[in-house]
Amino acid sequence: MEKNPGIKEKGTKKTCIKDIVRMIPPLIESILFRKPEGITSLSAEDDGWKANVEVLERKAVPDTQDILGTYELKLKCDGDLISYKRTTMRKRGDRVSEALE
């Protein structure tokens, strides 16, 4: 029998992915005092959610020289923040290649 990815083992319903996407920008702003540039990944995990978010760290001219930081957020099933950390920094103009899993 296949498990329902939206339900935890204890029977507590996970927050919908659309709601998590809406929660992340104000959450990032409240922690870093910066607006996120975008959510680059979001996945459901056994105990909640994992998201990667890009944030403008330093504005430059031309904008291809802007510095972007990528932050990994871990959230509880209901969207409460468990932890966050900056995982990478890059220039906006740098080519990004993501590993295929």
Side-chain angles (χ1 to χ4, degrees), residues 56 58-67 91-92:
L56 180 65
R58 184 179 59 91
K59 182 78 176 140
V61 176
D63 62 1
T64 56
Q65 298 301 305
D66 289 351
I67 303 294
K91 290 182 183 175
R92 186 184 298 273

Side-chain angles (χ1 to χ4, degrees), residues 11-64:
T12 305
K13 189 170 169 80
K14 273 191 178 179
T15 303
C16 171
I17 194 166
K18 289 179 185 178
D19 292 336
I20 293 295
V21 168
R22 285 187 211 109
M23 289 177 187
I24 289 174
L27 181 60
I28 284 289
E29 285 185 60
S30 71
I31 297 167
L32 302 176
F33 304 104
R34 296 182 178 105
K35 291 186 178 187
E37 294 286 306
I39 299 169
T40 59
S41 70
L42 178 60
S43 59
E45 297 190 334
D46 291 339
D47 57 347
W49 299 93
K50 181 174 144 184
N52 285 304
V53 181
E54 281 193 327
V55 175
L56 180 65
E57 298 284 349
R58 184 179 59 91
K59 182 78 176 140
V61 176
D63 62 1
T64 56

